[in-house]
Amino acid sequence: MPDSVLVHAPATVANLGCGFDVLGLALAAPYDTLRLRRTDAPGLTIAHLDDYGLPTDPAHNVAGAALRALLARVPEPVGFAVEIRKGIRPGSGVGSSAASAAGAVVGANALLGNRFSRLELADFAMAGEAVASGARHADNIAPAIFGGLTLVRALEPALDIVALPAPPLWVAVVHPQIEINTRDARQVLPAAVPLGLAVRQWANVAGLVAGFLTADFALVGRALEDHVVEPARAPLIPGLAEARRRALAAGALGGGISGSGPSIFMLNRDGETAHAVAAALGSVFAELGIAYQLHVGRIAGEGARVVAE
Ligand code: HSE
Protein backbone atom coordinates (compact mmCIF):
# COMPACT_ATOMS: atom_id res chain seq x y z
CA MET A 1 0.00 0.00 0.00
CA PRO A 2 1.50 3.41 -0.92
CA ASP A 3 1.75 6.05 1.83
CA SER A 4 1.47 8.96 -0.61
CA VAL A 5 -0.46 9.39 -3.87
CA LEU A 6 -0.91 12.06 -6.51
CA VAL A 7 -4.46 12.35 -7.87
CA HIS A 8 -6.00 14.12 -10.86
CA ALA A 9 -9.70 14.99 -10.46
CA PRO A 10 -11.56 16.26 -13.53
CA ALA A 11 -13.91 19.14 -14.15
CA THR A 12 -17.49 18.08 -14.86
CA VAL A 13 -20.59 19.49 -16.55
CA ALA A 14 -23.72 18.95 -14.46
CA ASN A 15 -27.40 19.11 -15.43
CA LEU A 16 -26.81 18.82 -19.22
CA GLY A 17 -29.74 21.15 -19.81
CA CYS A 18 -32.85 19.24 -18.88
CA GLY A 19 -31.30 16.92 -16.24
CA PHE A 20 -31.11 19.29 -13.27
CA ASP A 21 -29.34 17.60 -10.34
CA VAL A 22 -29.28 14.19 -12.08
CA LEU A 23 -27.16 14.18 -15.27
CA GLY A 24 -23.46 14.97 -15.62
CA LEU A 25 -20.35 14.23 -17.64
CA ALA A 26 -16.60 14.35 -17.03
CA LEU A 27 -14.22 16.57 -19.00
CA ALA A 28 -10.67 15.59 -19.90
CA ALA A 29 -9.46 19.04 -18.71
CA PRO A 30 -9.16 21.13 -16.64
CA TYR A 31 -8.52 19.11 -13.46
CA ASP A 32 -7.42 19.56 -9.85
CA THR A 33 -4.21 17.96 -8.61
CA LEU A 34 -4.06 16.60 -5.04
CA ARG A 35 -1.20 15.05 -3.08
CA LEU A 36 -2.36 12.92 -0.13
CA ARG A 37 -0.10 11.41 2.53
CA ARG A 38 -1.31 8.92 5.13
CA THR A 39 -0.39 9.87 8.69
CA ASP A 40 -0.43 7.63 11.76
CA ALA A 41 -1.77 10.50 13.83
CA PRO A 42 -5.55 10.75 13.34
CA GLY A 43 -6.90 13.97 11.86
CA LEU A 44 -6.57 16.06 8.72
CA THR A 45 -4.42 18.89 7.50
CA ILE A 46 -5.33 20.72 4.29
CA ALA A 47 -3.07 23.07 2.37
CA HIS A 48 -3.90 24.93 -0.83
CA LEU A 49 -1.06 25.46 -3.32
CA ASP A 50 -3.06 28.10 -5.20
CA ASP A 51 -4.21 31.62 -4.44
CA TYR A 52 -7.99 31.31 -4.41
CA GLY A 53 -8.14 31.89 -0.65
CA LEU A 54 -10.20 28.74 -0.01
CA PRO A 55 -10.71 27.67 3.61
CA THR A 56 -8.21 25.14 4.98
CA ASP A 57 -10.12 24.24 8.15
CA PRO A 58 -11.15 20.63 7.30
CA ALA A 59 -14.74 21.22 8.46
CA HIS A 60 -15.14 24.07 5.95
CA ASN A 61 -13.01 22.74 3.11
CA VAL A 62 -14.75 20.53 0.52
CA ALA A 63 -11.93 17.95 0.48
CA GLY A 64 -11.76 18.06 4.28
CA ALA A 65 -15.50 17.53 4.71
CA ALA A 66 -15.43 14.60 2.26
CA LEU A 67 -12.47 13.02 4.09
CA ARG A 68 -14.18 13.45 7.46
CA ALA A 69 -17.15 11.48 6.08
CA LEU A 70 -14.77 8.76 4.87
CA LEU A 71 -12.78 8.64 8.13
CA ALA A 72 -16.00 8.13 10.08
CA ARG A 73 -16.11 4.69 8.42
CA VAL A 74 -12.47 3.76 9.13
CA PRO A 75 -12.01 1.95 12.47
CA GLU A 76 -8.20 2.21 12.80
CA PRO A 77 -6.42 5.44 13.82
CA VAL A 78 -5.31 7.14 10.61
CA GLY A 79 -5.18 10.65 9.20
CA PHE A 80 -4.29 12.44 5.98
CA ALA A 81 -2.19 15.43 5.00
CA VAL A 82 -3.58 16.92 1.78
CA GLU A 83 -2.15 19.47 -0.64
CA ILE A 84 -4.52 20.78 -3.29
CA ARG A 85 -3.59 22.66 -6.43
CA LYS A 86 -6.78 23.94 -8.06
CA GLY A 87 -6.71 23.60 -11.85
CA ILE A 88 -10.45 24.38 -11.88
CA ARG A 89 -11.40 27.88 -10.83
CA PRO A 90 -13.87 27.97 -7.92
CA GLY A 91 -17.31 29.24 -8.94
CA SER A 92 -16.78 28.43 -12.62
CA GLY A 93 -19.74 26.04 -13.03
CA VAL A 94 -17.60 23.06 -14.06
CA GLY A 95 -17.60 21.22 -10.75
CA SER A 96 -14.65 22.80 -8.97
CA SER A 97 -15.78 21.76 -5.48
CA ALA A 98 -16.80 18.28 -6.65
CA ALA A 99 -13.36 17.69 -8.18
CA SER A 100 -11.54 18.47 -4.92
CA ALA A 101 -13.96 16.35 -2.89
CA ALA A 102 -13.80 13.43 -5.35
CA GLY A 103 -10.02 13.61 -5.70
CA ALA A 104 -9.59 13.58 -1.93
CA VAL A 105 -11.66 10.45 -1.32
CA VAL A 106 -10.21 8.58 -4.32
CA GLY A 107 -6.71 9.33 -3.03
CA ALA A 108 -7.58 8.36 0.55
CA ASN A 109 -9.11 5.11 -0.67
CA ALA A 110 -5.89 4.20 -2.48
CA LEU A 111 -3.98 4.86 0.76
CA LEU A 112 -6.36 2.52 2.60
CA GLY A 113 -6.07 -0.42 0.19
CA ASN A 114 -9.11 0.52 -1.93
CA ARG A 115 -11.58 -0.79 0.61
CA PHE A 116 -14.50 1.43 -0.50
CA SER A 117 -16.57 1.13 -3.70
CA ARG A 118 -16.95 4.06 -6.07
CA LEU A 119 -20.54 4.44 -4.90
CA GLU A 120 -19.38 4.76 -1.28
CA LEU A 121 -16.73 7.28 -2.36
CA ALA A 122 -19.41 9.33 -4.10
CA ASP A 123 -21.46 9.30 -0.90
CA PHE A 124 -18.48 10.62 1.12
CA ALA A 125 -17.69 13.25 -1.51
CA MET A 126 -21.25 14.58 -1.30
CA ALA A 127 -20.45 15.78 2.22
CA GLY A 128 -17.89 18.09 0.58
CA GLU A 129 -20.40 19.32 -2.00
CA ALA A 130 -22.84 20.16 0.81
CA VAL A 131 -20.18 22.43 2.38
CA ALA A 132 -19.80 24.29 -0.92
CA SER A 133 -23.41 24.76 -1.94
CA GLY A 134 -25.53 24.01 1.11
CA ALA A 135 -27.37 21.31 -0.83
CA ARG A 136 -26.82 17.58 -1.18
CA HIS A 137 -26.48 16.92 -4.89
CA ALA A 138 -24.27 14.42 -6.71
CA ASP A 139 -24.52 15.39 -10.37
CA ASN A 140 -20.92 16.71 -10.43
CA ILE A 141 -19.62 14.18 -7.91
CA ALA A 142 -20.86 11.16 -9.90
CA PRO A 143 -18.95 11.91 -13.14
CA ALA A 144 -15.95 13.21 -11.13
CA ILE A 145 -15.66 9.71 -9.63
CA PHE A 146 -17.06 7.37 -12.30
CA GLY A 147 -16.02 9.35 -15.42
CA GLY A 148 -18.09 9.32 -18.62
CA LEU A 149 -21.74 10.17 -18.40
CA THR A 150 -23.67 9.60 -15.18
CA LEU A 151 -27.25 9.60 -13.97
CA VAL A 152 -28.00 10.09 -10.28
CA ARG A 153 -31.23 8.10 -10.04
CA ALA A 154 -31.76 8.71 -6.33
CA LEU A 155 -30.16 10.18 -3.22
CA GLU A 156 -32.62 8.61 -0.81
CA PRO A 157 -33.09 6.12 0.73
CA ALA A 158 -29.65 5.29 -0.74
CA LEU A 159 -27.44 6.90 -3.35
CA ASP A 160 -28.12 5.23 -6.71
CA ILE A 161 -25.79 6.17 -9.58
CA VAL A 162 -26.05 4.81 -13.12
CA ALA A 163 -22.71 5.09 -14.95
CA LEU A 164 -23.12 5.17 -18.73
CA PRO A 165 -20.40 4.83 -21.34
CA ALA A 166 -18.94 8.14 -22.54
CA PRO A 167 -20.43 9.02 -25.95
CA PRO A 168 -17.79 9.96 -28.56
CA LEU A 169 -18.71 13.65 -28.46
CA TRP A 170 -16.62 16.75 -27.93
CA VAL A 171 -17.45 19.45 -25.42
CA ALA A 172 -16.81 23.18 -25.83
CA VAL A 173 -17.06 25.25 -22.65
CA VAL A 174 -16.78 28.99 -22.20
CA HIS A 175 -16.22 30.33 -18.70
CA PRO A 176 -17.06 34.03 -18.62
CA GLN A 177 -15.45 35.57 -15.53
CA ILE A 178 -18.69 36.48 -13.79
CA GLU A 179 -19.24 35.58 -10.12
CA ILE A 180 -22.13 33.17 -9.57
CA ASN A 181 -22.14 30.89 -6.59
CA THR A 182 -24.22 27.74 -6.60
CA ARG A 183 -25.98 28.65 -3.38
CA ASP A 184 -27.33 31.89 -4.95
CA ALA A 185 -28.10 30.20 -8.27
CA ARG A 186 -30.25 27.65 -6.46
CA GLN A 187 -32.21 30.36 -4.71
CA VAL A 188 -33.63 31.74 -7.98
CA LEU A 189 -35.18 28.38 -8.90
CA PRO A 190 -38.95 27.88 -8.86
CA ALA A 191 -40.28 25.96 -5.86
CA ALA A 192 -42.94 24.25 -8.01
CA VAL A 193 -43.11 23.30 -11.70
CA PRO A 194 -46.37 23.28 -13.66
CA LEU A 195 -47.24 19.77 -14.84
CA GLY A 196 -47.11 20.70 -18.55
CA LEU A 197 -43.53 21.94 -18.22
CA ALA A 198 -42.55 18.92 -16.13
CA VAL A 199 -43.84 16.64 -18.90
CA ARG A 200 -41.72 18.43 -21.51
CA GLN A 201 -38.70 18.29 -19.19
CA TRP A 202 -38.79 14.56 -18.44
CA ALA A 203 -39.47 13.81 -22.11
CA ASN A 204 -36.20 15.61 -22.86
CA VAL A 205 -34.30 13.75 -20.12
CA ALA A 206 -35.47 10.42 -21.55
CA GLY A 207 -34.70 11.60 -25.10
CA LEU A 208 -31.22 12.78 -24.12
CA VAL A 209 -30.27 9.50 -22.44
CA ALA A 210 -31.74 7.49 -25.34
CA GLY A 211 -29.84 9.67 -27.83
CA PHE A 212 -26.55 9.08 -25.98
CA LEU A 213 -27.08 5.32 -25.75
CA THR A 214 -28.12 4.85 -29.39
CA ALA A 215 -25.61 7.41 -30.75
CA ASP A 216 -28.54 9.36 -32.20
CA PHE A 217 -26.85 12.73 -31.85
CA ALA A 218 -29.58 14.64 -33.69
CA LEU A 219 -31.89 13.47 -30.89
CA VAL A 220 -29.29 14.59 -28.34
CA GLY A 221 -29.40 18.05 -29.93
CA ARG A 222 -33.22 18.22 -29.82
CA ALA A 223 -33.31 17.05 -26.20
CA LEU A 224 -30.75 19.62 -24.96
CA GLU A 225 -33.56 21.92 -23.95
CA ASP A 226 -34.34 23.04 -20.40
CA HIS A 227 -37.82 24.41 -19.62
CA VAL A 228 -37.38 24.65 -15.85
CA VAL A 229 -33.97 25.81 -14.64
CA GLU A 230 -32.45 27.81 -17.50
CA PRO A 231 -35.34 30.30 -17.73
CA ALA A 232 -34.81 31.15 -14.03
CA ARG A 233 -31.01 31.38 -14.27
CA ALA A 234 -30.64 33.01 -17.69
CA PRO A 235 -30.78 36.57 -16.29
CA LEU A 236 -27.61 35.76 -14.28
CA ILE A 237 -25.57 35.17 -17.46
CA PRO A 238 -25.39 38.06 -19.94
CA GLY A 239 -24.88 36.82 -23.50
CA LEU A 240 -26.34 33.34 -22.94
CA ALA A 241 -28.95 33.51 -25.72
CA GLU A 242 -26.49 34.96 -28.21
CA ALA A 243 -23.85 32.39 -27.23
CA ARG A 244 -26.30 29.58 -27.98
CA ARG A 245 -27.32 31.18 -31.29
CA ARG A 246 -23.70 31.51 -32.47
CA ALA A 247 -22.74 28.03 -31.22
CA LEU A 248 -25.60 26.39 -33.11
CA ALA A 249 -24.67 28.39 -36.23
CA ALA A 250 -21.10 27.06 -35.84
CA GLY A 251 -22.41 23.47 -35.82
CA ALA A 252 -22.99 22.59 -32.15
CA LEU A 253 -25.62 19.92 -31.42
CA GLY A 254 -26.89 21.96 -28.48
CA GLY A 255 -26.02 22.88 -24.92
CA GLY A 256 -26.87 25.27 -22.13
CA ILE A 257 -25.68 26.46 -18.74
CA SER A 258 -22.98 24.22 -17.24
CA GLY A 259 -24.10 23.34 -13.72
CA SER A 260 -25.21 26.50 -11.98
CA GLY A 261 -23.13 28.67 -14.36
CA PRO A 262 -21.63 30.98 -15.36
CA SER A 263 -19.94 28.50 -17.76
CA ILE A 264 -21.86 27.50 -20.88
CA PHE A 265 -21.29 24.10 -22.53
CA MET A 266 -22.02 22.87 -26.04
CA LEU A 267 -21.84 19.26 -27.30
CA ASN A 268 -20.34 18.63 -30.73
CA ARG A 269 -19.84 15.73 -33.11
CA ASP A 270 -16.07 16.25 -33.57
CA GLY A 271 -13.05 18.22 -32.45
CA GLU A 272 -12.98 20.59 -35.39
CA THR A 273 -16.56 21.65 -34.77
CA ALA A 274 -15.92 21.93 -31.01
CA HIS A 275 -13.03 24.36 -31.61
CA ALA A 276 -15.16 26.46 -33.99
CA VAL A 277 -17.99 26.47 -31.45
CA ALA A 278 -15.63 27.52 -28.64
CA ALA A 279 -14.44 30.45 -30.77
CA ALA A 280 -18.08 31.41 -31.43
CA LEU A 281 -18.86 31.27 -27.69
CA GLY A 282 -15.79 33.35 -26.87
CA SER A 283 -16.67 36.00 -29.46
CA VAL A 284 -19.85 36.87 -27.55
CA PHE A 285 -17.99 37.61 -24.32
CA ALA A 286 -15.18 39.44 -26.13
CA GLU A 287 -17.84 41.79 -27.53
CA LEU A 288 -19.40 42.21 -24.09
CA GLY A 289 -15.99 43.10 -22.64
CA ILE A 290 -16.12 40.13 -20.23
CA ALA A 291 -12.89 38.11 -19.80
CA TYR A 292 -13.37 34.40 -20.46
CA GLN A 293 -11.60 31.04 -20.61
CA LEU A 294 -12.32 28.27 -23.14
CA HIS A 295 -12.06 24.51 -22.63
CA VAL A 296 -12.37 22.06 -25.52
CA GLY A 297 -12.05 18.29 -25.20
CA ARG A 298 -13.68 14.90 -25.42
CA ILE A 299 -15.97 13.56 -22.73
CA ALA A 300 -13.50 11.79 -20.42
CA GLY A 301 -14.05 8.07 -19.84
CA GLU A 302 -12.29 8.19 -16.47
CA GLY A 303 -12.98 10.15 -13.30
CA ALA A 304 -10.59 11.05 -10.46
CA ARG A 305 -7.61 8.69 -10.41
CA VAL A 306 -4.19 8.11 -8.89
CA VAL A 307 -1.57 9.19 -11.45
CA ALA A 308 1.56 8.64 -9.36
CA GLU A 309 2.63 7.30 -5.95
N1 HSE B 1 -27.14 20.66 -10.18
C1 HSE B 1 -26.42 21.70 -9.53
C2 HSE B 1 -27.13 23.03 -9.80
C3 HSE B 1 -25.03 21.72 -10.06
O1 HSE B 1 -27.44 23.28 -10.97
O2 HSE B 1 -27.37 23.78 -8.86
C4 HSE B 1 -24.15 22.78 -9.46
O3 HSE B 1 -22.93 22.82 -10.20
Side-chain angles (χ1 to χ4, degrees), residues 14-15 20-21 137 139-140 182 186 233 259-260:
N15 298 343
F20 176 70
D21 273 3
H137 60 93
D139 51 343
N140 290 107
T182 298
R186 293 179 82 85
R233 288 179 171 169
S260 56

PDB file of all heavy atoms in Angstrom, residues 14-15 20-21 137 139-140 182 186 233 259-260, ligand 1:
ATOM      1  N   ALA A  14     -22.516  19.523 -15.073  1.00  0.00           N
ATOM      2  CA  ALA A  14     -23.720  18.952 -14.460  1.00  0.00           C
ATOM      3  C   ALA A  14     -24.968  19.495 -15.141  1.00  0.00           C
ATOM      4  O   ALA A  14     -24.929  20.529 -15.813  1.00  0.00           O
ATOM      5  CB  ALA A  14     -23.768  19.303 -12.975  1.00  0.00           C
ATOM      6  N   ASN A  15     -26.053  18.780 -14.941  1.00  0.00           N
ATOM      7  CA  ASN A  15     -27.403  19.109 -15.429  1.00  0.00           C
ATOM      8  C   ASN A  15     -27.598  18.710 -16.897  1.00  0.00           C
ATOM      9  O   ASN A  15     -28.608  18.141 -17.258  1.00  0.00           O
ATOM     10  CB  ASN A  15     -27.769  20.581 -15.268  1.00  0.00           C
ATOM     11  CG  ASN A  15     -27.783  21.036 -13.811  1.00  0.00           C
ATOM     12  OD1 ASN A  15     -27.821  20.209 -12.903  1.00  0.00           O
ATOM     13  ND2 ASN A  15     -27.746  22.331 -13.591  1.00  0.00           N
ATOM     14  N   PHE A  20     -31.500  18.576 -14.493  1.00  0.00           N
ATOM     15  CA  PHE A  20     -31.109  19.287 -13.269  1.00  0.00           C
ATOM     16  C   PHE A  20     -30.908  18.322 -12.104  1.00  0.00           C
ATOM     17  O   PHE A  20     -31.799  17.535 -11.783  1.00  0.00           O
ATOM     18  CB  PHE A  20     -32.180  20.320 -12.906  1.00  0.00           C
ATOM     19  CG  PHE A  20     -31.916  21.033 -11.603  1.00  0.00           C
ATOM     20  CD1 PHE A  20     -30.875  21.931 -11.488  1.00  0.00           C
ATOM     21  CD2 PHE A  20     -32.704  20.789 -10.489  1.00  0.00           C
ATOM     22  CE1 PHE A  20     -30.620  22.577 -10.284  1.00  0.00           C
ATOM     23  CE2 PHE A  20     -32.473  21.438  -9.290  1.00  0.00           C
ATOM     24  CZ  PHE A  20     -31.423  22.338  -9.194  1.00  0.00           C
ATOM     25  N   ASP A  21     -29.728  18.384 -11.518  1.00  0.00           N
ATOM     26  CA  ASP A  21     -29.343  17.596 -10.340  1.00  0.00           C
ATOM     27  C   ASP A  21     -29.218  16.092 -10.594  1.00  0.00           C
ATOM     28  O   ASP A  21     -28.984  15.339  -9.649  1.00  0.00           O
ATOM     29  CB  ASP A  21     -30.295  17.826  -9.144  1.00  0.00           C
ATOM     30  CG  ASP A  21     -29.877  19.034  -8.284  1.00  0.00           C
ATOM     31  OD1 ASP A  21     -28.904  19.724  -8.632  1.00  0.00           O
ATOM     32  OD2 ASP A  21     -30.549  19.277  -7.261  1.00  0.00           O
ATOM     33  N   HIS A 137     -26.232  17.363  -3.517  1.00  0.00           N
ATOM     34  CA  HIS A 137     -26.484  16.925  -4.889  1.00  0.00           C
ATOM     35  C   HIS A 137     -25.236  16.229  -5.393  1.00  0.00           C
ATOM     36  O   HIS A 137     -24.124  16.538  -4.962  1.00  0.00           O
ATOM     37  CB  HIS A 137     -26.920  18.079  -5.800  1.00  0.00           C
ATOM     38  CG  HIS A 137     -25.923  19.185  -5.913  1.00  0.00           C
ATOM     39  ND1 HIS A 137     -24.979  19.228  -6.910  1.00  0.00           N
ATOM     40  CD2 HIS A 137     -25.702  20.262  -5.150  1.00  0.00           C
ATOM     41  CE1 HIS A 137     -24.230  20.306  -6.755  1.00  0.00           C
ATOM     42  NE2 HIS A 137     -24.641  20.958  -5.688  1.00  0.00           N
ATOM     43  N   ASP A 139     -24.637  15.451  -8.908  1.00  0.00           N
ATOM     44  CA  ASP A 139     -24.523  15.390 -10.367  1.00  0.00           C
ATOM     45  C   ASP A 139     -23.155  15.804 -10.884  1.00  0.00           C
ATOM     46  O   ASP A 139     -22.794  15.462 -12.015  1.00  0.00           O
ATOM     47  CB  ASP A 139     -25.652  16.165 -11.063  1.00  0.00           C
ATOM     48  CG  ASP A 139     -25.844  17.576 -10.559  1.00  0.00           C
ATOM     49  OD1 ASP A 139     -25.365  17.917  -9.473  1.00  0.00           O
ATOM     50  OD2 ASP A 139     -26.498  18.356 -11.271  1.00  0.00           O
ATOM     51  N   ASN A 140     -22.335  16.520 -10.091  1.00  0.00           N
ATOM     52  CA  ASN A 140     -20.922  16.710 -10.431  1.00  0.00           C
ATOM     53  C   ASN A 140     -20.058  15.606  -9.820  1.00  0.00           C
ATOM     54  O   ASN A 140     -19.085  15.155 -10.434  1.00  0.00           O
ATOM     55  CB  ASN A 140     -20.400  18.061  -9.919  1.00  0.00           C
ATOM     56  CG  ASN A 140     -20.961  19.250 -10.671  1.00  0.00           C
ATOM     57  OD1 ASN A 140     -21.801  19.971 -10.148  1.00  0.00           O
ATOM     58  ND2 ASN A 140     -20.516  19.463 -11.897  1.00  0.00           N
ATOM     59  N   THR A 182     -23.137  28.718  -6.452  1.00  0.00           N
ATOM     60  CA  THR A 182     -24.220  27.736  -6.603  1.00  0.00           C
ATOM     61  C   THR A 182     -25.345  28.000  -5.624  1.00  0.00           C
ATOM     62  O   THR A 182     -26.529  27.879  -5.950  1.00  0.00           O
ATOM     63  CB  THR A 182     -23.648  26.319  -6.434  1.00  0.00           C
ATOM     64  OG1 THR A 182     -22.684  26.102  -7.461  1.00  0.00           O
ATOM     65  CG2 THR A 182     -24.716  25.256  -6.524  1.00  0.00           C
ATOM     66  N   ARG A 186     -29.172  28.560  -6.829  1.00  0.00           N
ATOM     67  CA  ARG A 186     -30.251  27.646  -6.460  1.00  0.00           C
ATOM     68  C   ARG A 186     -31.429  28.408  -5.854  1.00  0.00           C
ATOM     69  O   ARG A 186     -32.555  27.934  -5.871  1.00  0.00           O
ATOM     70  CB  ARG A 186     -29.756  26.555  -5.485  1.00  0.00           C
ATOM     71  CG  ARG A 186     -28.775  25.598  -6.142  1.00  0.00           C
ATOM     72  CD  ARG A 186     -28.275  24.538  -5.193  1.00  0.00           C
ATOM     73  NE  ARG A 186     -29.170  23.409  -5.033  1.00  0.00           N
ATOM     74  CZ  ARG A 186     -29.230  22.345  -5.822  1.00  0.00           C
ATOM     75  NH1 ARG A 186     -28.433  22.241  -6.867  1.00  0.00           N
ATOM     76  NH2 ARG A 186     -30.069  21.366  -5.585  1.00  0.00           N
ATOM     77  N   ARG A 233     -32.409  30.964 -14.443  1.00  0.00           N
ATOM     78  CA  ARG A 233     -31.010  31.375 -14.266  1.00  0.00           C
ATOM     79  C   ARG A 233     -30.484  32.254 -15.390  1.00  0.00           C
ATOM     80  O   ARG A 233     -29.432  32.900 -15.227  1.00  0.00           O
ATOM     81  CB  ARG A 233     -30.115  30.145 -14.125  1.00  0.00           C
ATOM     82  CG  ARG A 233     -30.306  29.450 -12.787  1.00  0.00           C
ATOM     83  CD  ARG A 233     -29.412  28.219 -12.678  1.00  0.00           C
ATOM     84  NE  ARG A 233     -29.429  27.684 -11.319  1.00  0.00           N
ATOM     85  CZ  ARG A 233     -28.921  26.517 -10.974  1.00  0.00           C
ATOM     86  NH1 ARG A 233     -28.340  25.743 -11.895  1.00  0.00           N
ATOM     87  NH2 ARG A 233     -28.974  26.107  -9.717  1.00  0.00           N
ATOM     88  N   GLY A 259     -23.804  23.303 -15.142  1.00  0.00           N
ATOM     89  CA  GLY A 259     -24.101  23.338 -13.719  1.00  0.00           C
ATOM     90  C   GLY A 259     -24.908  24.581 -13.395  1.00  0.00           C
ATOM     91  O   GLY A 259     -25.883  24.908 -14.082  1.00  0.00           O
ATOM     92  N   SER A 260     -24.464  25.300 -12.361  1.00  0.00           N
ATOM     93  CA  SER A 260     -25.210  26.504 -11.983  1.00  0.00           C
ATOM     94  C   SER A 260     -24.624  27.753 -12.645  1.00  0.00           C
ATOM     95  O   SER A 260     -24.979  28.864 -12.285  1.00  0.00           O
ATOM     96  CB  SER A 260     -25.199  26.647 -10.457  1.00  0.00           C
ATOM     97  OG  SER A 260     -23.874  26.674  -9.980  1.00  0.00           O
TER      98      SER A 260
HETATM   99  N1  HSE B   1     -27.144  20.665 -10.182  1.00  0.00           N
HETATM  100  C1  HSE B   1     -26.419  21.701  -9.533  1.00  0.00           C
HETATM  101  C2  HSE B   1     -27.126  23.028  -9.800  1.00  0.00           C
HETATM  102  C3  HSE B   1     -25.027  21.722 -10.062  1.00  0.00           C
HETATM  103  O1  HSE B   1     -27.444  23.284 -10.968  1.00  0.00           O
HETATM  104  O2  HSE B   1     -27.365  23.785  -8.863  1.00  0.00           O
HETATM  105  C4  HSE B   1     -24.149  22.777  -9.463  1.00  0.00           C
HETATM  106  O3  HSE B   1     -22.929  22.821 -10.199  1.00  0.00           O
END
